[in-house]
Amino acid sequence: QSALTQPPSASGSPGQSVTISCTGTSSDVGGYNHVSWYQQHPGKAPKLMISEVSKRPSGVPDRFSGSKSGNTASLTVSGLQAEDEADYYCSSSAGSHNFVFGTGTKVTVL
Amino acid sequence: EVQLVESGGGLVQPGGSLRLSCAASGFTFSPFWMHWVRQGPGKGLVWVSRINSDGSSTNYADSVKGRFTISRDNAKNTLYLQINSLRAEDTAVYYCTREDFWAFDIWGQGTMVTVSS
C-alpha cells in the first residue's frame, strides 16, 4: 500500500496550463481505470474533480481534464485561475474497493 | 442537502480509544460503500478503511489493522470508526467519505483526533 507518486509542486501563470502526474504500479493505477483526482483548499475537505480517469462530475469546470497511460495518470488544468491554487491528490483503486492516495501536489498560480 | 457530518474526535492519551461517528443525510445511505480517510497535520491524504453496503465486508490499511474497526448502522444512517491503542502517529483529521464508481464523491468536514500525553 505505498502512496502513489506525485510531484510536490507545480505552478503556472493565469491562463496557462499545468499538468500533474501520478505514478503507481500495475496493481493500482495501471491495473484499473479507477483513478480519481481531488482538490483541497487549506482547512477544507477534499473535493472530487475527476473520476474514472477522465470523467468530470457535474459542476467541475471543463478546464480540468484527466488521462492515463500505463502506470501513470495525469491531471491537466487549463486556463489557470487564481481559485485553482490548492493541493491536488490522485487516488486509485487497488482492488476489492481498497484505495491508495497520491503524495499530493501544491499548485501555485503565479 | 447531501452531507456527511463527523463527530467524536478529541484529545486522547497514547494507548487510549475513541469512537468516531459519521452521520449521513440527504441521500439513501444503505447502498453505498463507505470509507474513512485521514490527514495528519501538514500531511497528505491516507486511506484508512472501507466497509461494504451491508457491513459484511471490511478492510484496513496495514498501519491500522488490528487497532481500528469500521462499522455501520444503516437504520441510523451512520458510519463508525472505533480506534484503539492510539499512537502519536494517529494524530490527524479523520474524514468519512462516500464511494461512488470508485471515487469519493461526498466528504464530511472532518473530525480532529489528537494523541498526546
Side-chain angles (χ1 to χ4, degrees):
Chain A
Q1 295 178 341
S2 297
L4 308 176
T5 300
Q6 296 180 233
S9 63
S11 62
S13 299
Q16 291 186 332
S17 296
V18 64
T19 296
I20 304 166
S21 61
C22 169
T23 301
T25 69
S26 58
S27 297
D28 38 62
V29 174
Y32 308 92
N33 286 325
H34 299 162
V35 176
S36 51
W37 290 90
Y38 302 87
Q39 177 191 66
Q40 188 181 34
H41 288 109
K44 301 294 188 181
K47 175 187 175 183
L48 176 65
M49 304 302 285
I50 295 286
S51 66
E52 296 181 85
V53 176
S54 60
K55 296 182 179 179
R56 269 190 318 276
S58 174
V60 173
D62 60 7
R63 303 184 291 103
F64 291 85
S65 61
S67 62
K68 191 188 87 165
S69 177
N71 295 338
T72 299
S74 298
L75 173 73
T76 297
V77 185
S78 305
L80 267 174
Q81 299 183 6
E83 59 262 35
D84 299 333
E85 184 161 297
D87 293 326
Y88 290 83
Y89 295 91
C90 62
S91 176
S92 174
S93 166
S96 301
H97 293 265
N98 302 321
F99 287 80
V100 59
F101 282 94
T103 50
T105 299
K106 181 175 180 62
V107 169
T108 301
V109 181
L110 301 172
Chain B
E1 179 189 4
V2 172
Q3 64 176 352
L4 298 169
V5 178
E6 301 95 336
S7 60
L11 174 63
V12 61
Q13 292 187 337
S17 299
L18 278 176
R19 189 194 198 199
L20 308 183
S21 299
C22 169
S25 60
F27 67 97
T28 304
F29 179 69
S30 55
F32 291 95
W33 293 54
M34 297 295 296
H35 298 250
W36 288 96
V37 174
R38 70 183 181 183
Q39 186 170 35
K43 302 282 185 65
L45 301 173
V46 176
W47 177 81
V48 172
S49 181
R50 63 87 172 149
I51 188 167
N52 70 341
S53 56
D54 67 5
S56 62
S57 174
T58 61
N59 206 0
Y60 304 89
D62 289 344
S63 58
V64 307
K65 204 169 288 186
R67 300 187 299 121
F68 288 18
T69 303
I70 190 173
S71 61
R72 65 191 295 163
D73 185 335
N74 285 343
K76 295 183 178 180
N77 293 331
T78 303
L79 175 73
Y80 302 100
L81 186 68
Q82 177 69 41
I83 50 180
N84 299 329
S85 304
L86 278 160
R87 308 165 179 167
E89 54 265 35
D90 296 320
T91 293
V93 175
Y94 285 74
Y95 294 101
C96 67
T97 182
R98 185 179 84 171
E99 180 194 334
D100 192 28
F101 288 99
W102 305 281
F104 304 121
D105 64 336
I106 306 296
W107 294 72
Q109 84 287 352
T111 187
M112 183 71 202
V113 172
T114 302
V115 183
S116 174
S117 55

